Amino acid sequence: MIRPIYLYGSEVLRAKALPADLNAKEEIAALITDLKDTLAKADGCGLAAPQIGVSLRVLIVDGRGLADTYPYLKDFFRVIVNPVVLRQSQEKCEYSEGCLSVPGVYADVVRPSAIQLEYYDGNLCKVTEEFTGFACRMVQHELSHLDGELFVDLVPPIRKKIISRKLQRISRGQVGTAYTSRIK
């Protein structure tokens, strides 16, 4: 089912998400389906459960649409449940980020260039995986959502000042999106 995407200013985006109950397999499967359907409709590359109003530690990332730019992402799709960062590199990299919850705003964000993650996949099997490159960026961006953090929180103060009017308009609902959105 396609759900509305919550926008900047919504309380659910600022709460630390709770671990998903791995015994609630049907509920998790339904949530994953909703995330996939909503992401496909919104034409993004990642979506975390809080973005659709569910404060659980579940996210999806889909790099397949970026394979023209990043060929190594041609088969990259992950369902990530209850992730734990085991290790992150000291080396950092900078990429421009945007977000379905912060439409029309883009900014360069510095994050670790590699992370090792332990999580449960869509079948609720435990996985340990290392992410690098743009896959790492997508995963870290969505992980931030699970901790109530948005990419605009990670930009230098001068950049945040520059985008502050756009953020205020979004939080007041003065923004159009090509997908169903909500502020609450």
Side-chain angles (χ1 to χ4, degrees):
M1 172 174 72
I2 296 170
R3 298 216 201 170
I5 294 176
Y6 284 75
L7 300 181
Y8 181 88
S10 298
E11 289 180 27
V12 70
L13 296 177
R14 294 307 190 171
K16 185 171 174 93
L18 300 172
D21 179 357
L22 298 178
N23 294 314
K25 292 179 182 179
E26 289 179 14
E27 292 171 23
I28 292 172
L31 176 58
I32 291 166
T33 297
D34 290 354
L35 285 166
K36 288 178 182 177
D37 293 348
T38 304
L39 183 62
K41 177 69 173 171
D43 196 27
C45 62
L47 196 62
Q51 291 180 273
I52 61 169
V54 179
S55 194
L56 291 177
R57 298 186 74 77
V58 179
L59 64 89
I60 61 172
V61 287
D62 187 354
R64 297 173 295 189
L66 302 170
D68 287 346
T69 305
Y70 304 104
Y72 60 90
L73 295 177
K74 70 179 174 64
D75 297 319
F76 186 81
F77 180 86
R78 298 290 187 278
V79 172
I80 297 176
V81 179
N82 293 345
V84 175
V85 176
L86 299 177
R87 204 172 51 233
Q88 56 187 17
S89 68
Q90 294 298 316
E91 182 184 336
K92 308 280 186 196
C93 61
E94 185 175 61
Y95 281 101
S96 180
E97 293 188 23
C99 182
L100 294 170
S101 291
V102 191
V105 176
Y106 300 90
D108 290 342
V109 177
V110 175
R111 295 186 190 265
S113 59
I115 61 168
Q116 185 181 48
L117 201 63
E118 182 178 87
Y119 65 94
Y120 293 88
D121 65 14
N123 297 314
L124 301 183
C125 296
K126 191 179 253 188
V127 175
T128 300
E129 184 173 7
E130 182 152 333
F131 297 96
T132 59
F134 201 74
C136 182
R137 175 62 47 151
M138 291 187 300
V139 170
Q140 288 181 88
H141 177 101
E142 300 308 327
L143 287 173
S144 290
H145 280 295
L146 302 183
D147 292 328
E149 183 176 71
L150 300 172
F151 82 97
V152 294
D153 301 330
L154 303 175
V155 301
I158 188 71
R159 179 69 178 137
K160 186 129 186 204
K161 186 172 176 80
I162 292 168
I163 62 176
S164 65
R165 279 203 173 131
K166 285 184 180 181
L167 296 176
Q168 289 171 2
R169 283 195 292 267
I170 294 167
S171 68
R172 290 192 301 259
Q174 299 171 337
V175 64
T177 59
Y179 44 90
T180 304
S181 59
R182 168 180 295 164
I183 297 176
K184 192 172 180 184

